[in-house]
């Protein structure tokens, strides 16, 4: 059983290196394979790019300890930089989701991105 678990962990790390590994695999398993309900938190599977983008934004805001309504220019730039480096803006609709979550316009998100990557 341990061999299958190790193979499964490696495959999941390739598919979802950040979200899945930290949210699901970090939870300890019970001694009994039949006792699946013993995990301390339920598994989280996102079915849309929008949900993935919002999760990433909320995680970054929580990490920084700020709320979207009280972000300064530099804090907003820091959030956008982190999301850009994580590749969140490669997802369809992520710019619109980020704008809504951060309380700014999509044009503002594009301006922040142009500050981060001036050559683009």
């Amino acid at each position: 059983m341990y061999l299958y678990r190790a193979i499964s962990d490696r495959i999941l790390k390739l598919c979802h290196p950040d979200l899945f590994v930290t949210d699901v695999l970090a939870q300890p398993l019970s001694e009994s394979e039949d006792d699946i309900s013993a995990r301390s938190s339920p598994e989280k599977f996102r079915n849309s790019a929008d949900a993935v983008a919002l999760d990433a934004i909320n995680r970054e805001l929580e990490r920084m300890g700020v709320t979207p309504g009280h972000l300064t220019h530099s804090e907003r730039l820091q959030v956008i930089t982190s999301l850009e480096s994580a590749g969140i803006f490669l997802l369809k609709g992520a710019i619109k989701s980020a704008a809504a979550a951060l309380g700014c316009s999509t044009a503002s998100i594009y301006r922040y991105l142009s500050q981060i990557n001036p050559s683009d």
Side-chain angles (χ1 to χ4, degrees):
M1 179 172 122
Y2 177 75
L3 178 61
Y4 294 117
R5 177 69 181 179
I7 293 170
S8 174
D9 288 350
R10 288 183 184 187
I11 291 171
L12 292 173
K13 285 179 186 177
L14 291 172
C15 297
H16 306 281
D18 295 328
L19 294 176
F20 195 81
V21 173
T22 57
D23 290 348
V24 177
L25 295 181
Q27 304 301 322
L29 293 177
S30 65
E31 294 296 321
S32 167
E33 183 178 346
D34 297 329
D35 190 16
I36 295 176
S37 63
R39 292 185 185 192
S40 61
S41 71
E43 294 182 12
K44 298 176 188 176
F45 294 101
R46 302 296 182 215
N47 60 357
S48 71
D50 185 50
V52 171
L54 287 175
D55 279 352
I57 293 164
N58 290 331
R59 239 187 357 263
E60 185 61 24
L61 290 172
E62 186 177 307
R63 184 190 68 76
M64 291 175 61
V66 295
T67 59
H70 297 96
L71 287 173
T72 65
H73 174 78
S74 62
E75 289 171 335
R76 191 171 281 124
L77 182 62
Q78 185 179 353
V79 169
I80 300 294
T81 301
S82 176
L83 296 173
E84 171 67 11
S85 67
I88 295 301
F89 294 117
L90 297 174
L91 299 171
K92 183 177 181 180
I95 296 221
K96 185 177 177 182
S97 297
L102 297 175
C104 63
S105 68
T106 55
S108 295
I109 300 294
Y110 283 112
R111 270 193 304 277
Y112 286 115
L113 289 172
S114 68
Q115 291 175 8
I116 296 167
N117 301 317
S119 62
D120 291 346

